Amino acid sequence: MLKHTFLHIPRIGKLTEQKFWQAGIQTWDDALQVPNYAKLGIPELLIKSFLADSYLALEQHNISFFSKLLPSLETWRLYPKFSHNLSLRVAYLDIETSGVNSYLDNITVIGVYDGTVVKQYVNGQNLMAFRDDIEEFDLLVTFNGKVFDVPVLQAAIPKLHMPKAHIDLRYVLKQINLKGGLKSIERQTGFAREQDELGQLDGYDAVLLWRLHRRGDPRALPTLLRYNAEDVVGLKPLLELACNQLTKVLPLDYAQYSILSRINSRA
DNA sequence: CATTATGCAGAATGCAAGGG
DNA sequence: CCCTTGCATTCTGCATAATG
């Protein structure tokens, strides 16, 4: 998807990019072979120098080059290319706190899913290890993390270096008419959790579970951790669903970029 | 060459919505 | 429950293209 992207070039916005695609300029390679730029309204030199930089950034796995230039609604474009051909480390992240008054409340649990394994950090146990661990990742995926998780983490943990690229699914999913909270979206997409007691929990229950845990209930923390784990693991199929759907509506030969066939078999 | 239309970037503003 | 943020919207200014 990235090699179809022209949006990151100055003076090229959504409309100009669409014109490129419709004119048959679908990839960076196409753009370099265009004989006559007169009709496109953008200086040829600007395009070619930017594309040279783009090829270089891709070769060097420099994801922050693109993430800085892409509008945040389009950050999803980082995922298919980088996750397929390059060894990009993706961190799906979700935190639980003792309440919603952001800066007064404490972080209770941090969950990080790397696509294979969930690692969790618990207040009073290993919360500070998160600071070192998160630096191993290139791309962050959250739901509403731009508003909630990342600011809260940064306020709580000094000298925290979060990944430079961040896909916030809240805004990405909104484009395909998936609005509301994470639980609601999981229901709408058929990715809802199993119908056991865990599926009934919401964020406020996470607050209550933490209080129970502090009062000495031995069953509270394991339940909270399972809840948090399901949250982070659930982010991945949602991201891949969004990538597939958003790619589909573009005037591109998209078939080869479909990420997951697995998704559809679960619904 | 002058004029006009177009569309992008950037700034400013107000508000909706999601987190636990 | 409350707060923060980024988004959407609007406006301005600029650069380019098209026209004759």
Side-chain angles (χ1 to χ4, degrees), chain A residues 123-263:
Chain A
N123 193 331
Q125 295 180 19
N126 60 344
L127 213 52
M128 285 303 145
F130 170 80
R131 176 172 40 199
D132 296 328
D133 291 353
I134 197 63
E135 293 198 7
E136 301 299 313
F137 293 92
D138 310 296
L139 173 64
L140 186 70
V141 179
T142 64
F143 188 89
N144 203 36
K146 287 189 176 175
V147 175
F148 188 76
D149 303 63
V150 171
V152 168
L153 282 165
Q154 277 168 341
I157 304 177
K159 290 191 170 181
L160 179 66
H161 300 297
M162 297 296 283
K164 295 189 187 70
H166 183 179
I167 301 177
D168 188 333
L169 287 174
R170 176 182 163 189
Y171 305 106
V172 173
L173 290 167
K174 200 166 129 188
Q175 292 179 92
I176 52 175
N177 282 323
L178 289 171
K179 297 173 236 174
L182 185 58
K183 303 287 172 299
S184 154
I185 288 176
E186 285 180 342
R187 277 193 298 273
Q188 292 171 54
T189 52
F191 294 138
R193 299 152 193 214
E194 305 305 321
Q195 301 304 318
D196 63 7
E197 76 284 357
L198 217 54
Q200 309 304 316
L201 300 182
D202 64 10
Y204 187 58
D205 292 311
V207 176
L208 300 179
L209 281 167
W210 182 254
R211 287 185 198 155
L212 285 176
H213 163 65
R214 294 300 287 260
R215 289 195 202 127
D217 185 333
R219 290 167 50 208
L221 185 58
T223 306
L224 178 57
L225 290 177
R226 278 176 59 208
Y227 168 78
N228 171 259
E230 290 200 352
D231 261 357
V232 281
V233 169
L235 294 174
K236 186 178 179 182
L238 286 175
L239 171 60
E240 300 193 333
L241 174 78
C243 287
N244 281 342
Q245 300 245 333
L246 288 165
T247 310
K248 242 179 237 180
V249 299
L250 301 178
L252 295 170
D253 176 19
Y254 58 79
Q256 55 184 308
Y257 302 103
S258 183
I259 299 166
L260 252 209
S261 42
R262 201 146 53 76
I263 277 182

Side-chain angles (χ1 to χ4, degrees), chain A residues 41-75:
Chain A
I42 313 288
E44 179 171 353
L45 220 71
L46 179 67
I47 294 182
K48 293 199 167 161
S49 85
F50 243 84
L51 289 183
D53 291 347
S54 304
Y55 276 113
L56 194 66
L58 199 57
E59 203 174 297
Q60 296 174 341
H61 302 196
N62 181 3
I63 192 171
S64 72
F65 171 85
F66 299 102
S67 104
K68 268 186 289 201
L69 294 168
L70 279 177
S72 65
L73 282 178
E74 302 295 336
T75 48

Side-chain angles (χ1 to χ4, degrees), chain A residues 85-135:
Chain A
N85 302 6
L86 308 172
S87 51
L88 177 81
R89 300 212 50 194
V90 184
Y92 302 86
L93 175 134
D94 186 52
I95 67 173
E96 315 299 328
T97 67
S98 60
V100 80
N101 294 351
S102 326
Y103 299 99
L104 297 175
D105 287 303
N106 303 313
I107 296 171
T108 57
V109 174
I110 306 172
V112 176
Y113 176 53
D114 67 3
T116 311
V117 174
V118 176
K119 181 154 186 189
Q120 291 169 309
Y121 307 85
V122 179
N123 193 331
Q125 295 180 19
N126 60 344
L127 213 52
M128 285 303 145
F130 170 80
R131 176 172 40 199
D132 296 328
D133 291 353
I134 197 63
E135 293 198 7

Side-chain angles (χ1 to χ4, degrees), chain A residues 4-71:
Chain A
H4 298 274
T5 293
F6 299 102
L7 217 48
H8 62 305
I9 300 171
R11 300 202 45 75
I12 294 186
K14 246 192 136 108
L15 286 161
T16 308
E17 186 181 59
Q18 289 269 339
K19 280 184 192 162
F20 269 49
W21 291 339
Q22 272 148 15
I25 309 168
Q26 302 217 331
T27 65
W28 297 346
D29 287 340
D30 294 340
L32 290 177
Q33 283 159 21
V34 171
N36 175 18
Y37 267 93
K39 285 232 158 179
L40 292 167
I42 313 288
E44 179 171 353
L45 220 71
L46 179 67
I47 294 182
K48 293 199 167 161
S49 85
F50 243 84
L51 289 183
D53 291 347
S54 304
Y55 276 113
L56 194 66
L58 199 57
E59 203 174 297
Q60 296 174 341
H61 302 196
N62 181 3
I63 192 171
S64 72
F65 171 85
F66 299 102
S67 104
K68 268 186 289 201
L69 294 168
L70 279 177

